[in-house]
Every structure is written in C-alpha cells, then in structure tokens.
Amino acid sequence: EHLKAVYYNSPNDIEVIYYLGLSYAGVGEHGLAADAYKRIESIDDKKAKDVYEVGKLYYNIGIAYQKKRDAENALSFYNRSIKIEPEQGSAYCRRGELLFDRKDYAGALDNFKICDQRVPGDARVRRYIVSSRLARGVAFAGDKKYDEALVEFKKAALLDPKNENALYLQGYLHYQTASFKQALEVLTQLRSPEAAEIAENLPLLLQNIAVELQTREDFAGAEKALTH
C-alpha cells in the first residue's frame, strides 16, 4: 500500500515500479505484477533487461502459473521471458515441458535442444528429449513414415542406449518393414527387459522373426532369434 502511494506521485520511477511488481507477485497478484514489469519495459527496455532482469521476473511468474496447472498463462510468460532474454536456457526448458504435455513433440524437442545446449548435463531435460523423440517416432510410424520414425528411435537410443522402448520400437519397426535381420540385431540387445509389456511381447516377436528368417534359409539367424 505504501508503494502504491509512492507510485501515484512518481509514476515513472522505475525502482518504485520494480518493487511494486515484486510486492504484487509476493501476494499472488501475478497479473498486476506483470503490468508493473511491462511498465518498466515501456519506460526503459534496456534497464528492464540488464538492471531489473524483467526476463527472470516473467520466468518466475511462469513457474507460479505452471505450479497452478495454468498452462496457458505459464506459456505466455515463458514466451515473454524468452523475448526479453533469448540467450537464457531455463525458460526454454519449462516451455518444452508445457509443449510436451500438449503433445507438440516437435516444438518441445526444439526447446529442449536449446535448453540442453545452455543448461548442459540436466538429466531431466535429457529424459524429456528421449521421450519427445520416441513420441515423434510413434507418430511418424502411425502415418506410415517409417524412415522418419526409425531416425527418431535411433536418436533416442543414442541418447539413452539402455532405453528399452527405443530398442524395442526400432526392432518392431524393422520387423514391420520386413527387415528381419536388422530387427534381430536390435532386439538381441534387450536382455531381461524390465518393462512388463516388452517382456511379454518380445518372445513372440522373436519367434515370428525366426519363422521369417527360416523361410529365407537363414538358419543361423533363426536359431539366434529362438535362443535369445
């Protein structure tokens, strides 16, 4: 209340506006906080970025909305944060999460790539990248774009060589496209899979591959498939 009174008499005092915005954010009035931060930008956009770090303030508001599961507002504030401070990494990470939840896997992946470059070594981001690639691969396969799907599955496996889904989906797609030897080569990397669905389906898939290889008189390959 004191800051509002001061602001009334000094509407162009950036420092007063800055602390007024922080106060609004502190009591959960994120819309009023954002109005204050935009006011700082309109007076001096360079100070808004370099001195008062408005990009970070927008990012914090985005987190507050994301915690409330208000994805629309969260995304809006991450976008503002990136517009002011495009060289950052954090808002790209968060924006990627929201796009992933919306099943916009291409958009999510673009943001996670930037995030991974600028915040390297983040295991959570790496898992999101792998999941995005797997989801894109499944979508490509559903559209019968098998080459594109395989690229995504292979990239996921390169990032996470022990990822059972990346290996199984590669093998299954090779099987579906009658590349039985390639399917066997990938699937034999799966030993005692932990995922229940893969553990249940793998024996039958290998048996089917064995039948196809035997038909082609590849008896060694058929035996390998049956004894894996």
Side-chain angles (χ1 to χ4, degrees), residues 68 78 131 190 193:
K68 292 179 180 179
Y78 292 145
S131 297
L190 284 168

Side-chain angles (χ1 to χ4, degrees), residues 160 162-169 190-195 198:
D160 185 1
K162 295 182 180 179
N163 189 291
E164 294 177 352
N165 286 315
L167 293 171
Y168 183 80
L169 288 168
L190 284 168
R191 300 189 180 278
S192 303
E194 295 180 4
I198 293 176

Side-chain angles (χ1 to χ4, degrees), residues 8-213:
Y8 181 80
N9 292 308
S10 306
N12 293 317
D13 189 321
I14 294 180
E15 189 172 11
V16 172
I17 300 170
Y18 170 74
Y19 284 112
L20 183 60
L22 290 185
S23 298
Y24 278 131
V27 296
E29 294 283 359
H30 302 301
L32 293 174
D35 289 341
Y37 302 148
K38 283 191 286 185
R39 176 83 174 127
I40 296 174
E41 284 184 78
S42 68
I43 295 173
D44 191 329
D45 57 352
K46 183 165 176 36
K47 274 191 177 181
K49 177 185 177 183
D50 299 334
V51 178
Y52 294 98
E53 298 185 316
V54 170
K56 290 182 175 62
L57 299 176
Y58 284 143
Y59 171 74
N60 290 333
I61 294 178
I63 289 178
Y65 278 118
Q66 191 171 2
K67 285 180 178 177
K68 292 179 180 179
R69 302 188 182 281
D70 184 343
E72 198 66 40
N73 270 316
L75 192 57
S76 172
F77 280 100
Y78 292 145
N79 289 341
R80 291 186 193 182
S81 179
I82 288 169
K83 183 178 179 181
I84 294 174
E85 195 179 344
E87 67 278 5
Q88 66 170 299
S90 300
Y92 288 99
C93 304
R94 295 287 186 169
R95 189 165 71 174
E97 292 176 7
L98 293 173
L99 293 175
F100 184 89
D101 290 341
R102 290 183 166 192
K103 303 187 186 308
D104 180 359
Y105 300 118
L109 191 56
D110 288 342
N111 280 272
F112 286 134
K113 284 179 182 177
I114 297 172
C115 175
D116 194 43
Q117 291 169 358
R118 298 178 185 176
V119 191
D122 189 311
R124 175 182 170 87
V125 172
R126 187 57 58 92
R127 287 195 297 271
Y128 264 116
I129 291 174
V130 171
S131 297
S132 297
R133 290 211 175 278
L134 291 176
R136 285 193 77 197
V138 169
F140 279 134
D143 292 335
K144 301 189 185 312
K145 296 178 179 179
Y146 300 125
D147 290 339
E148 292 92 334
L150 269 175
V151 167
E152 295 299 334
F153 296 149
K154 286 178 180 178
K155 286 183 176 179
L158 282 173
L159 287 169
D160 185 1
K162 295 182 180 179
N163 189 291
E164 294 177 352
N165 286 315
L167 293 171
Y168 183 80
L169 288 168
Q170 271 190 79
Y172 183 77
L173 193 56
H174 279 308
Y175 170 75
Q176 289 289 88
T177 55
S179 301
F180 303 114
K181 292 188 73 171
Q182 291 94 323
L184 180 60
E185 183 181 342
V186 175
L187 292 172
T188 49
Q189 297 177 52
L190 284 168
R191 300 189 180 278
S192 303
E194 295 180 4
E197 188 176 356
I198 293 176
E200 182 181 347
N201 294 331
L202 183 59
L204 180 59
L205 181 56
L206 287 168
Q207 182 179 323
N208 291 340
I209 290 170
V211 170
E212 295 293 347
L213 291 175

